[in-house]
Amino acid sequence: MSQSDIQNLLQQNRLLTEEVKRRIDQIGAINIVAATVSQSLDLDVTLKTALRAVLDVVGAEAGGISLIDEASKEVVLRAQEGWPHDWVTQPMRIPYGQGMSGQVITRDEVVVDNDFDGTEALAVPQFHNENFRAIAMAPMHARNQIIGILSIMSNQRNAFSAENIAVLKSVADTVGVALDNARLYETTAEQEERLHAIYQATSEGIIATDLHGRISLINHAAATIFDVDAERLIGTPLRESPIHRRVRDSLLHALSDNNNDKKSFQVNLDKRLLSIVVSSIVIESSIDQARHNDGWVIVVQDITHFRDADVQKSEFIRTAAHDMKNPLGVALGSLNMLNDFVGADDPTAQELIQLGLNGISRLQDLINDLLHLEQIEHGYGASMTTFKVGDLMEEAVKDIKPLLSEKNLTCVVEAADSLPQLTADRRWVKRAFMNYLDNATKYTEAGDVITARAYGSSTMLYIEVNDNGPGIPVEAQSRLFERFYRASDDRIKGTGLGLAIVKSVAEKHGGGVYVQSQQGKGSTFGMTLSWGTPPPINPTSAG
Ligand code: ADP
């Protein structure tokens, strides 16, 4: 090997060593910035420490960090160091696409101007008086997009070497990711605060528990309803919490149920009535994408005022109805007497009297139906007995015999003798069945057949009345059981309360109502009643 070869080799070796040293310095610089910026999740702190660290490792006297504001489509200066003027308190906002920052974003690469004098087309007005002579800006990325710009500045021309720029480029993304994390953390914290404010402000009581029934959250309203100290309850198992025993037992019962359905019930405390809904919190696991039950949320409402208003309303209806019955009876008696006086030779007077009698009889029907509905809904005078449904049906058909004969209708009762006996309030069940029968006779053409059927499943008794009447349009079917709803024309007498009474009776006996009808082909009206021990008749005593 010649002397010049050796010289060459030594030269190459020196260059290589310098290059390796430079790289090591760069990696060291990146590490320093990375370590510094990951120390805090506070966005303002991260902005300041990141900028300080970058200026140190790059060796620049001034710098800035701008973040992209997606909403206003601007680049906003959030941290600065070494600038004569404060552009952070009154932030420098540069619209997308303008100035050097605009170039950085459009080209998505580092832009360097080592001979800046502020008069260039790219210089935004705010930079004119900052006296910078060299500027380098690098895009910061996070989650595959540009989130801002990291800039370094100097008062000297040609201050930034290729090496400075390489370091700036390398640290920009590290700073970007740290800032993005801090921003995400801030957004999450903000959302959490907003959520906290919302559930604290709601008038409904909210309690959340984990899967084991340990209380993880309780708002002001719940603490007030149960008269407990919210702070001290966090982490306490529900079964050990100092809330009213009756409420606690009902809650524990609802939580012990393994199915995830919503459970709602009412609890009657000494003077108050609480409505409670228990729902399971179901979350989607990011690991196996399955849905898991993660605990429970309990929503409590004090509905004492509704109950009081309801009691007052029904008292008013009862009093008003009783007060109306007497004068109506007197008017009815007088009209009947008048009818006798007038005699058959004055048909106009008789017609007028008949109109008056019809009106009074409709009013009496309405008052009776209203009273019945109130009685059923509030369980006044409820009395449970065990009886054969077939007997009740035969008895009811006998009662409406005059109506059937009037229209020459036949009513067939189909109820197997083997049908188990029903435990229910016989008077109400008969009333409900009579209402179905009554409607069938009212709405069926003369000479037709009505079929009343009873059959059972393991849990329910079904009672149905079928007729070949006019049927009911589909759009009216869902509203038939509402109070005062009438789908028929006014030529057929009715109060619009008959089906509402049936519904109320069925629901009080743990069942419901249904209708199958086709226009022109007749209708089948049905109700279900639970066989067994009847449910509590008065809803306010549940729980
Ligand atoms: P109403 O006193 O008007 O009969 P209901 O509550 O008993 O009040 O019935 C509500 C409406 O349902 C009636 O106005 C009528 O339009 C319709 N309806 C009830 N039963 C029958 C039936 N068997 N056939 C046809 N329509 C019926």
Side-chain angles (χ1 to χ4, degrees):
M1 195 181 279
S2 71
Q3 190 64 27
S4 71
D5 284 346
I6 293 171
Q7 282 299 327
N8 252 342
L9 216 61
L10 280 174
Q11 174 66 7
Q12 275 179 18
N13 208 7
R14 207 168 40 245
L15 286 175
L16 215 62
T17 312
E18 274 173 14
E19 178 63 20
V20 170
K21 190 174 168 298
R22 244 195 329 266
R23 288 284 159 91
I24 289 174
D25 283 350
Q26 279 183 12
I27 292 169
I30 294 167
N31 278 342
I32 290 170
V33 174
T36 317
V37 294
S38 57
Q39 274 167 12
S40 169
L41 272 174
D42 181 305
L43 184 57
D44 286 327
V45 173
T46 309
L47 279 161
K48 276 196 195 112
T49 47
L51 185 57
R52 183 71 264 141
V54 170
L55 296 186
D56 280 352
V57 298
V58 182
E61 61 236 61
I65 296 178
S66 304
L67 294 181
I68 286 178
D69 182 348
E70 291 282 357
S72 64
K73 302 259 176 276
E74 288 171 323
V75 180
V76 184
L77 190 69
R78 290 292 306 269
Q80 63 176 166
E81 189 145 340
W83 300 41
H85 301 98
D86 177 358
W87 290 108
V88 170
T89 319
Q90 299 273 312
M92 181 191 292
R93 294 179 158 271
I94 299 171
Y96 269 11
Q98 285 186 20
M100 251 172 110
S101 62
Q103 275 207 352
V104 176
I105 293 171
T106 345
R107 302 201 327 227
D108 193 6
E109 62 183 36
V110 178
V111 173
V112 187
D113 187 342
N114 257 322
D115 189 14
F116 185 84
D117 67 6
T119 60
E120 320 36 18
L122 275 178
V124 291
Q126 292 94 324
F127 271 74
H128 287 175
N129 301 322
E130 299 300 320
N131 301 326
F132 295 135
R133 292 291 164 260
I135 301 181
M137 294 186 176
M140 298 187 294
H141 296 91
R143 288 182 289 158
N144 282 334
Q145 57 181 18
I146 304 177
I147 64 137
I149 294 172
L150 177 63
S151 322
I152 48 173
M153 291 92 175
S154 169
N155 304 120
Q156 309 298 318
R157 281 196 165 73
N158 298 319
F160 301 127
S161 64
E163 207 173 307
N164 293 138
I165 303 303
V167 173
L168 179 74
K169 202 174 162 183
S170 313
V171 295
D173 284 347
T174 309
V175 173
V177 170
L179 290 176
D180 193 49
N181 283 344
R183 207 150 56 160
L184 270 180
Y185 178 79
E186 228 165 57
T187 313
T188 315
E190 254 173 45
Q191 275 170 356
E192 208 169 293
E193 243 172 64
R194 199 170 305 139
L195 214 60
H196 181 82
I198 290 172
Y199 77 70
Q200 285 299 5
T202 68
S203 56
E204 266 123 41
I206 300 172
I207 300 177
T209 76
D210 65 12
L211 254 187
H212 310 290
R214 204 174 280 274
I215 296 172
S216 53
L217 175 158
I218 171 163
N219 72 348
H220 285 318
T224 312
I225 291 174
F226 295 128
D227 191 22
V228 290
D229 179 350
E231 302 255 302
R232 290 181 59 189
L233 274 191
I234 303 293
T236 312
L238 200 59
R239 69 178 63 253
E240 289 166 23
S241 63
I243 60 179
H244 198 291
R245 226 198 72 207
R246 208 175 304 158
V247 178
R248 203 178 51 209
D249 290 351
S250 307
L251 287 175
L252 290 173
H253 179 72
L255 262 57
S256 66
D257 189 351
N258 277 338
N259 81 46
N260 284 344
D261 293 344
K262 243 185 204 160
K263 292 149 200 105
S264 53
F265 49 92
Q266 293 181 357
V267 182
N268 207 349
L269 299 181
D270 309 328
K271 285 194 181 124
R272 291 182 306 154
L273 179 64
L274 302 182
S275 157
I276 300 180
V277 179
V278 178
S279 325
S280 57
I281 305 171
V282 178
I283 54 159
E284 206 147 291
S285 158
S286 54
I287 299 169
D288 57 6
Q289 304 211 317
R291 290 161 66 79
H292 298 285
N293 184 356
D294 195 47
W296 305 90
V297 61
I298 299 158
V299 179
V300 188
Q301 238 185 326
D302 189 333
I303 55 166
T304 316
H305 53 293
F306 288 130
R307 181 191 58 186
D308 293 348
D310 209 32
V311 168
Q312 277 173 9
K313 186 200 80 186
S314 69
E315 263 169 21
F316 168 75
I317 290 178
R318 267 188 304 151
T319 319
H322 279 299
D323 287 354
M324 277 192 275
K325 268 184 160 181
N326 269 346
L328 276 181
V330 173
L332 194 68
S334 308
L335 279 179
N336 277 325
M337 274 164 72
L338 196 61
N339 207 14
D340 294 343
F341 281 127
V342 168
D345 50 335
D346 191 345
T348 317
Q350 273 201 328
E351 199 180 319
L352 287 173
I353 291 168
Q354 197 49 50
L355 272 176
L357 286 172
N358 284 350
I360 291 175
S361 126
R362 284 175 89 149
L363 214 52
Q364 281 178 323
D365 287 349
L366 185 65
I367 290 171
N368 284 336
D369 277 353
L370 264 178
L371 277 173
H372 280 132
L373 202 56
E374 280 306 315
Q375 278 173 1
I376 295 160
E377 299 226 312
H378 292 91
Y380 299 131
S383 141
M384 295 292 162
T385 51
T386 302
F387 55 91
K388 282 182 95 167
V389 180
D391 292 350
L392 175 144
M393 292 166 80
E394 296 287 0
E395 202 178 292
V397 172
K398 224 164 148 186
D399 288 354
I400 59 149
K401 209 115 214 161
L403 281 178
L404 291 170
S405 313
E406 220 172 85
K407 286 177 86 173
N408 192 25
L409 296 167
T410 312
C411 183
V412 181
V413 174
E414 293 175 3
D417 214 32
S418 55
L419 215 53
Q421 297 212 25
L422 177 72
T423 301
D425 185 299
R426 196 177 195 280
R427 203 168 43 106
W428 288 354
V429 176
K430 187 172 166 191
R431 170 86 222 187
F433 177 60
M434 290 272 279
N435 283 2
Y436 273 171
L437 272 188
D438 215 35
N439 282 346
T441 53
K442 270 199 298 191
Y443 298 105
T444 309
E445 290 289 314
D448 250 330
V449 176
I450 297 166
T451 311
R453 198 175 290 122
Y455 57 93
S457 73
S458 56
T459 53
M460 291 286 178
L461 166 71
Y462 292 74
I463 302 178
E464 287 177 356
V465 176
N466 168 266
D467 64 57
N468 303 316
I472 299 141
V474 182
E475 61 278 10
Q477 288 180 19
S478 60
R479 303 199 53 199
L480 289 181
F481 293 90
E482 287 174 18
R483 288 176 179 209
F484 299 113
Y485 183 80
R486 302 202 69 215
S488 55
D489 62 47
D490 274 348
R491 277 171 302 176
I492 300 179
K493 242 180 73 180
T495 61
L497 287 173
L499 295 183
I501 291 177
V502 184
K503 182 167 177 264
S504 218
V505 171
E507 284 174 355
K508 287 287 176 253
H509 289 84
V513 286
Y514 53 91
V515 59
Q516 284 161 351
S517 182
Q518 236 182 316
Q519 262 188 298
K521 295 201 172 157
S523 318
T524 299
F525 279 85
M527 70 179 113
T528 56
L529 306 162
S530 79
W531 288 118
T533 326
I537 292 296
N538 184 350
T540 56
S541 67

